[in-house]
Amino acid sequence: NEEKKRLSQSIWMEITEDRRLYIEGVFLSTDGKQSAAMKNFKRALELAPMEDRYLSAVSVALASQGKMDESIATLEEGLKELPDSVSLKASLGQRYISTKDFGRVEAIASELEKSSLPYAAYNALMIRACSAEQQGKYKDAINLFNQADAKADGSNPLTGLGQQRCQDMMKRKK
């Protein structure tokens, strides 16, 4: 289990074949080439089945193709092998937000909140904030986004974005 944890949390000091495939997949996805990106992500996952970011990438690609059940199943299977993966839990929370299964979102957030792993508390707040935003609870979402931003270490490119979206939505509702 320690080996699984080490692999899933490794910092990339070198570009291996699986990492190259993943990075190329990200670029392909950004270019709108989802099926090519999916091939890269799945091949990377075959080469390194314990890499949670590859599982998340496959899940996102499936969700973008409208295959939400398969996307969720991919994350749930990954969590059987990597039950402590903050990344997979956060991704699963995001999928449940997409399906408006807010009870499951809260259960995942509560589980993350109890974890002492890095970024768990931040991710718990982020999925709660996104859930509140999806439910139209913009003031609650802004508060949660503020708390998440305070937990983020260093420069976070997401800082302030959720709050701005919520403020824009509140202006539109007036």
Side-chain angles (χ1 to χ4, degrees), residues 10-135:
S10 64
I11 297 172
W12 290 356
M13 298 306 228
E14 63 182 278
I15 300 299
T16 57
E17 180 65 10
D18 58 300
R19 293 171 182 169
R20 183 190 62 75
L21 286 162
Y22 168 77
I23 292 165
E24 287 177 2
V26 170
F27 289 128
L28 288 165
S29 180
T30 302
D31 289 341
K33 299 174 182 171
Q34 296 305 324
S35 63
M38 177 65 91
K39 287 178 187 171
N40 276 44
F41 296 147
K42 284 188 172 184
R43 181 71 184 118
L45 194 55
E46 288 171 9
L47 295 171
M50 292 298 116
E51 182 61 65
D52 57 3
R53 72 187 89 195
Y54 302 167
L55 284 161
S56 289
V58 168
S59 173
V60 168
L62 288 165
S64 72
Q65 295 172 0
K67 300 176 181 177
M68 195 59 71
D69 291 342
E70 197 175 335
S71 174
I72 289 170
T74 297
L75 294 169
E76 289 173 341
E77 285 299 312
L79 281 165
K80 288 178 185 174
E81 293 297 318
L82 299 166
D84 296 328
S85 173
V86 171
S87 172
L88 293 180
K89 288 178 186 176
S91 293
L92 186 58
Q94 290 295 335
R95 295 302 92 68
Y96 285 135
I97 290 168
S98 296
T99 63
K100 300 189 183 327
D101 190 340
F102 302 117
R104 286 190 178 168
V105 173
E106 182 53 36
I108 291 168
S110 294
E111 192 176 329
L112 284 168
E113 190 175 56
K114 294 173 190 163
S115 172
S116 60
L117 290 172
Y119 310 110
Y122 168 80
N123 279 287
L125 289 164
M126 284 300 287
I127 63 172
R128 279 191 174 121
C130 292
S131 178
E133 180 182 0
Q134 274 296 313
Q135 295 175 69

Side-chain angles (χ1 to χ4, degrees), residues 119 121-123 125-126 141-156 158-160 163:
Y119 310 110
Y122 168 80
N123 279 287
L125 289 164
M126 284 300 287
I142 289 169
N143 181 39
L144 290 161
F145 281 126
N146 287 337
Q147 291 176 53
D149 287 352
K151 288 247 184 247
D153 58 345
S155 63
N156 181 347
L158 301 177
T159 299
Q163 296 91 321

